[in-house]
Amino acid sequence: VSQSRYANAKELNDREWIVRTDSKLLSTQVPENISLRDGLLVLTGRKQEVRGKGYTGAGIISRREFTHGYFEARMKYPKGAGWHGSFWLQMYDGQGGTGPSKTLQEMDIVETDTYNLTHYSTSIHRWNPLPVKMSVGGHAVVTTPDLSLDFHTWGCLWGEQETVMMFDGRPVLTAPAKLFPQGPQQVWLTMIGHDAGKHPIDNNQLPAEMTVDYVRCIVTGK
């Protein structure tokens, strides 16, 4: 069992986590926007110009690589449009971003665009072998309570026969394993600026904070 909790930590453990530092969509991700406060990991979005972007976001990536197992995070989203908060599994390209050069698949456990905090999407994509195939394991849009008002739990049970995405303990998407290749993954938690659906960042709700209570990885593969 591998589990990362922040209840007693004072700073991010860089032996376990890589800091995301790319520039993508509306924001550049910077280490200064990652903090641990009151037992929570806090990923912050700000109005700040860095490397040609008008906003900064934050993200972390596990150094460990995982195959089959159960992956879970308990999180709360910020109020205000313009932020894309996600918890997913994908191999890191080593360049700070989300390029597909080293990954076979991407498992999006939760992707939320904060202009609408009463739903999120979950899906599985195949990056390699080429050509790329999006939503190879299906795609679901899940209706939720307001995700900024309280913490909720997202999970992914990645088995050798099927993968099951979960929200607050209930299955929301199931995909047979034969639909996509099985390769190692790293765990990602990020919040970046994104004008999804042409909803710009709400400057009246800054700084924006995505808070993470815990990340849990129960590994059954190597």
Side-chain angles (χ1 to χ4, degrees), residues 90-102:
Q90 181 182 0
M91 280 293 287
Y92 177 50
D93 68 359
Q95 304 300 315
T98 57
S101 60
K102 291 188 176 181

Side-chain angles (χ1 to χ4, degrees), residues 43 73-77 85-87 110 112 147 150-154 188-190 210-215:
L43 303 179
R74 185 171 183 264
M75 307 183 297
K76 183 169 69 171
Y77 281 88
S86 53
F87 165 44
V110 50
T112 296
L147 297 174
D150 203 353
F151 285 88
H152 293 276
T153 303
W154 286 268
W188 296 62
L189 292 157
T190 64
M210 174 178 161
T211 50
V212 182
D213 182 19
Y214 66 80
V215 182

Side-chain angles (χ1 to χ4, degrees), residues 70 109 120 153-157 164-172:
Y70 178 67
I109 303 169
Y120 75 92
T153 303
W154 286 268
C156 172
L157 180 60
V164 182
M165 302 296 191
M166 306 181 75
F167 175 70
D168 282 345
R170 64 181 177 89
V172 295

Side-chain angles (χ1 to χ4, degrees), residues 50-65:
V50 176
R51 297 204 303 271
K53 303 292 185 180
Y55 295 87
T56 57
I60 61 173
I61 309 155
S62 71
R63 292 190 182 276
R64 299 190 199 186
E65 299 174 8

Side-chain angles (χ1 to χ4, degrees), residues 184-205:
Q185 303 273 264
Q186 289 159 274
V187 175
W188 296 62
L189 292 157
T190 64
M191 190 176 79
I192 65 176
H194 181 28
D195 59 343
K198 305 302 180 183
H199 294 272
I201 292 176
D202 184 351
N203 291 329
N204 294 319
Q205 296 285 350

